[in-house]
């Protein structure tokens, strides 16, 4: 119970439309919330802070179900904390999405018959800004449709002036601390996007290729290597074998002829080679394979680059100018002509890396790039979780985090793009290298040029939790709202984003982690558990469902499937069910308002209430406590389920129905129950508001006359419990449930009235006779009453006159058949459980299942026998 209802200044209205129309409520209501400034956080407030920064969606993006899912959960957390009295900041913004955005504008230019090189760098970047203003950021409007309670006054963009200053500041600091360096290494190169991409931007899939085995050398001084990329042999500078492999001891250190070329290459011994795999000999192409690059470094081998950035061969006359795939066929053909191909396997399924953005096959390539030395940064990120400063939820996801940060490779941060934060390095005419900070003037004069590359998008988004609050300036926002409270994001971007933020936050903010908790979610899938993607017919636009069923229905469905770390299946039928729930809320509140539900004044003393009133208030406070516990444990599915069943089952299906006779009778007891019903609805709507904000706010303001639930108070568990009332109503529920089941078994229609005698004297059921009769459609027994079925239940007896309503002989025959089936099931389950050999071998879950079958059979037998005994005698 709460005191909130006592503080409402306006009397409730009884005027609600007969049906809930989300489209007529949601848009207007959201704009009112924004205009009132409900979502705007005050850094000067003395309220305790609660901060969430939104994972910044790409400026090119639109709202998909994954966004809707995570935004629903973040919004629920923020709205609840705001209602609890926190200064809640949910900070929105967008990522400039370097490759994706540049690709969009380049596609636009291609339609005009131009390329970015026709415009030049400055004009192209200006064109991207124009595209961003015209087409980018549509997801922000879609977030409003969903009901995101974000502070729009603090909206940020990773390329805005403040965040750009943060990028330059941390780059300079890392550079001066020798944590950023330039080196030639093997990188993942996208021949379509024409840029390096990081390991985590490579998607691997099984592709059909060709495995060819090639003989190098002659006679006894020959060996066989296998490859799926035959064209790369043009860049081989060695063959490697294991130092202990006896087959090749005579070749180690010798030179052998490289086919199709005029070169000889050495045979080197390296422990990286697995002698049990294939022939135990591997070709070494240091410029085009990361493992080969490391072998090359260990043995001081030359690195020969044989392809340009487009994947075109740049060496060896016959193949010069061929695309990598054309060269592959040509090389294999030339080797066949020389009798060098000793085996072919086609198709050969193997894992191949693809660019996550354009799906082009990635090419490993030796390249001069900028790198972050991640060793000390990654260690700090691991330590912060290990020592408890940051908690990962669910805890079993910590292993994935540690697997990544404990084995992280240096991070390639340079991208060969024009859109993004340009690397702040200037090169002088005499080999000078100068890093320029945000408040420094770059060197000028003849021969000085700035590095042409830009930074990886994840470099700037890694600063998001503190750059958005004004860092490197010591702003009021930074002091008030950093560190943030929780990062809620998908487990699939632990590597992309979470680890980056941890490393940079701890480094830039003097060891203060960017958030207290990392709450990891699963991915949204279709109702059959299949991954949704734009290329599949199962992809769903959440806006279509919002149009059809309302934003609250989509939100509730997503929350109801949100088990920590687990994937979330969703189907349209489930959204329809959630729409039905919002309609039920609407209709039940209309009924309540028309039947005296009120929130004015204190609650009556418990001694004045009926057992039904005390029961629902006891259940209400239990639900408040449950929901609080689930929120604190990020158990969204459980809290949504608890609220659904409390509202629908206990409030609407039981309390309202049990109270109808009281309301219809009028008088003092009806007034008391009206006040209790008002209290229950008030608190229930508050509890539901963070998940389904639109319908709850519309109903609550009508019920209470209050300003808005957005700034309402979160209900507290008053501690009121009444176990006696709960037991008493449980008996009523048992009677009603058993008799309803009997009626259904007898084929009676729900609305069909049946004469009945209720023998309730001496039980706790006596005060509820009128309600029981109302719920069960039981008429008074009358003068001609003849008990043809008698049901003993919960210490009482319900005698029914079914004469003329059923065929007794047919019903006995049907029940006898059901009884035989139940007894057979009991015998089978009992036989298995009595078999010691079976119990010794069967898994626990199988044994538990059989025990459940036995218990169910016993229950069915007792129920059917009671039905048979209740039927009139032939």
């Amino acid at each position: 119970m709460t005191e909130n209802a006592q503080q409402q200044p306006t009397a409730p209205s009884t005027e609600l439309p007969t049906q809930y129309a989300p489209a007529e409520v949601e848009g207007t209501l959201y704009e009112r919330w924004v205009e009132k400034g409900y979502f705007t956080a005050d850094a000067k407030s003395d309220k305790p802070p609660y901060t969430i920064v939104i994972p910044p969606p790409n400026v090119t993006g639109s709202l998909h179900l994954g966004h809707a899912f995570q935004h629903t959960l973040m919004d629920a957390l923020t709205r609840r904390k705001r209602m609890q009295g926190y200064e809640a900041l949910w900070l929105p913004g967008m990522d400039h999405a370097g490759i994706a955005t540049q690709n969009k504008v380049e596609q636009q230019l291609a339609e005009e018959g131009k390329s970015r090189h026709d415009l030049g760098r400055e004009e192209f970047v200006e064109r991207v800004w124009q595209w961003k203003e015209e087409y980018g950021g549509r997801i922000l409007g879609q977030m409003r449709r969903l009901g995101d309670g974000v502070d729009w006054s603090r909206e940020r963009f990773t390329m805005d002036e403040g965040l750009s200053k943060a990028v330059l500041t941390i780059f300079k600091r890392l550079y001066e601390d020798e944590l950023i360096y330039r080196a030639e290494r093997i990188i993942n190169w996208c021949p379509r996007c024409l840029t390096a991409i990081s390991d985590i931007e490579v998607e691997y899939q099984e592709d059909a290729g060709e495995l060819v085995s090639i003989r190098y050398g002659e006679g006894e001084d020959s060996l066989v290597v296998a490859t799926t990329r035959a064209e790369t042999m043009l860049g081989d500078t060695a063959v490697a074998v294991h130092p202990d492999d006896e087959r090749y001891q005579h070749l180690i250190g010798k030179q052998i002829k490289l086919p199709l070329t005029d070169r000889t290459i050495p045979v080197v011994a390296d422990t990286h080679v697995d002698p049990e795999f294939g022939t135990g000999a591997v070709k070494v192409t240091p410029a085009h394979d990361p493992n080969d690059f490391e072998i090359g470094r260990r043995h001081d081998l030359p690195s020969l680059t044989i392809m340009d950035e487009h994947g075109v061969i740049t060496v060896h006359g016959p193949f010069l100018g061929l695309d990598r795939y054309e060269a592959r066929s040509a090389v294999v053909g030339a080797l066949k002509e020389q009798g060098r191909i000793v085996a072919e396997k086609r198709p050969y399924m193997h894992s191949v890396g693809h660019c996550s953005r354009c799906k082009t096959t990635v090419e490993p390539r030796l390249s001069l790039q900028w790198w972050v030395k991640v060793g000390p940064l990654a260690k700090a990120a691991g330590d912060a979780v290990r020592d408890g400063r940051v908690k990962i939820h669910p805890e079993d996801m910590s292993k994935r985090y540690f697997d990544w940060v404990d084995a992280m490779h240096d991070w390639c941060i340079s991208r060969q793009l024009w859109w993004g934060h340009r690397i702040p390095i200037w090169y002088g005419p005499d080999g000078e290298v100068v890093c320029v900070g945000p408040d420094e003037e770059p060197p000028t004069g003849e021969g000085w040029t700035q590095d042409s590359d830009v930074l990886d998008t994840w470099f700037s988004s890694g600063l998001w939790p503190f750059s958005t609050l004004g860092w490197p300036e010591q702003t009021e926002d930074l002091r008030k709202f950093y560190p943030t409270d929780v990062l809620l994001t998908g487990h699939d971007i632990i590597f992309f984003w979470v680890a980056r933020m941890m490393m940079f936050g701890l480094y830039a903010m003097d060891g203060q982690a960017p958030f207290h908790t990392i709450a990891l979610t699963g991915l949204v899938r279709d109702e059959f558990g299949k991954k949704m993607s734009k290329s599949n017919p199962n992809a769903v636009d959440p806006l279509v469902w919002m149009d059809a069923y309302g934003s609250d229905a989509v939100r509730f469905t997503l929350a109801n499937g949100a088990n920590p770390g687990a994937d979330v299946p969703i189907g349209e039928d489930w959204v329809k069910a959630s729409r039905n729930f919002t309609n039920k809320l609407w209709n039940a509140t209309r009924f309540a308002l028309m039947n005296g539900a009120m929130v004015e004044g204190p609650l009556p003393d418990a001694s004045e209430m009926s057992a039904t009133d005390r029961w629902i208030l006891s259940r209400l406070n239990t639900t408040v406590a449950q929901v609080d516990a689930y929120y604190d444990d990020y158990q969204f599915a459980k809290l949504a389920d608890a609220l659904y069943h409390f509202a629908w089952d206990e409030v609407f299906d039981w309390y309202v129905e049990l109270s109808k006779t009281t309301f219809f009778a009028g008088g003092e007891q009806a007034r008391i129950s009206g006040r209790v019903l008002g209290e229950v609805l008030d608190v229930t709507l508050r509890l539901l508001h963070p998940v389904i904000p639109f319908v709850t706010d519309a109903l609550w303001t009508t019920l209470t006359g209050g300003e808005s639930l957005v700034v309402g108070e979160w209900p507290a568990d008053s501690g009121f419990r009444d176990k006696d009332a709960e037991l008493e109503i449980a008996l009523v529920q048992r009677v009603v449930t058993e008799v309803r089941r009997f009626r259904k078994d007898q084929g009676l229609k729900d609305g069909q009235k049946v004469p009945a005698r209720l023998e309730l004297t001496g039980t706790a059921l006596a005060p509820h006779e009128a309600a029981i009769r109302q719920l069960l459609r039981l008429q008074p027994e009358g003068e001609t009453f003849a008990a043809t079925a008698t049901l003993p239940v919960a210490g009482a007896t319900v005698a029914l006159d079914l004469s003329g309503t059923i065929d007794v002989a047919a019903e006995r025959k049907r029940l006898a058949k059901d009884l035989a089936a139940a007894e057979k099931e009991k015998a089978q389950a009992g036989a298995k459980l009595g078999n010691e050999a079976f119990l010794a071998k069967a898994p626990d879950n199988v044994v538990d299942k059989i025990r459940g079958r036995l218990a169910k059979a016993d229950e069915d037998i007792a129920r059917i026998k009671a039905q048979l005994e209740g039927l009139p005698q032939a």
Side-chain angles (χ1 to χ4, degrees), residues 333-555:
L335 289 167
K336 284 181 179 178
E337 288 180 8
Q338 294 188 5
R340 294 284 178 177
I341 301 294
V342 299
E344 292 180 85
K345 184 176 182 182
R346 181 190 293 175
Y348 177 72
M349 301 304 296
H350 61 133
S351 181
V352 178
H354 297 261
C355 174
S356 63
R357 291 174 176 83
C358 71
K359 311 308 176 187
T360 300
T361 300
V362 168
E363 192 66 42
R365 185 168 187 258
L366 187 64
S367 182
L368 184 62
Q369 301 284 346
W370 285 94
W371 304 80
V372 171
K373 183 180 179 181
V374 300
L377 302 174
K379 182 181 184 303
D383 291 345
V385 174
R386 286 189 170 94
D387 64 25
R389 280 175 287 159
V390 177
K391 304 211 177 285
I392 292 180
H393 186 87
E395 191 176 351
D396 58 11
M397 283 282 179
S398 298
K399 183 180 184 302
R400 296 188 66 182
Y401 176 81
F402 291 132
D403 286 347
W404 178 252
V405 297
D406 291 348
M408 193 183 297
H409 300 295
D410 283 2
W411 171 21
C412 176
I413 56 172
S414 45
R415 298 291 181 267
Q416 289 64 55
L417 305 171
W418 286 355
W419 172 246
H421 295 100
R422 193 165 176 180
I423 289 177
I425 295 289
W426 269 255
Y427 305 107
D430 299 317
E432 301 96 332
V433 178
V434 176
C435 181
V436 178
D439 300 317
E440 299 171 350
E441 291 295 325
T444 58
E446 187 175 349
W448 282 94
T449 58
Q450 185 178 358
D451 195 297
S452 61
D453 289 351
V454 300
L455 288 164
D456 178 11
T457 297
W458 297 104
F459 190 95
S460 52
S461 60
L463 314 180
W464 190 252
F466 52 94
S467 64
T468 52
L469 297 173
W471 188 91
E473 307 301 328
Q474 292 302 307
T475 64
E476 285 186 331
D477 277 1
L478 195 63
R479 287 191 290 270
K480 177 75 173 179
F481 296 112
Y482 187 91
T484 68
D485 285 86
V486 60
L487 171 72
L488 190 144
T489 191
H491 61 64
D492 57 323
I493 60 171
I494 290 178
F495 323 123
F496 286 92
W497 192 45
V498 178
R500 312 291 195 221
M501 287 189 291
M502 285 288 284
M503 291 192 302
F504 282 164
L506 290 160
Y507 173 79
M509 299 301 293
D510 300 320
Q512 204 171 22
F515 16 77
H516 300 305
T517 301
I518 301 169
L520 296 170
T521 70
L523 307 179
V524 177
R525 297 183 178 272
D526 70 13
E527 58 193 302
F528 305 107
K530 293 182 180 178
K531 183 178 179 180
M532 288 188 179
S533 70
K534 293 179 181 177
S535 59
N536 289 338
N538 65 352
V540 174
D541 181 350
L543 296 169
V544 173
W545 281 352
M546 289 184 211
D547 289 340
Y549 309 112
S551 297
D552 284 332
V554 174
R555 290 172 61 115

Side-chain angles (χ1 to χ4, degrees), residues 56 120 156 334 384 430 500 664 858:
R156 303 306 298 268
D430 299 317
R500 312 291 195 221
F664 296 160
D858 282 333

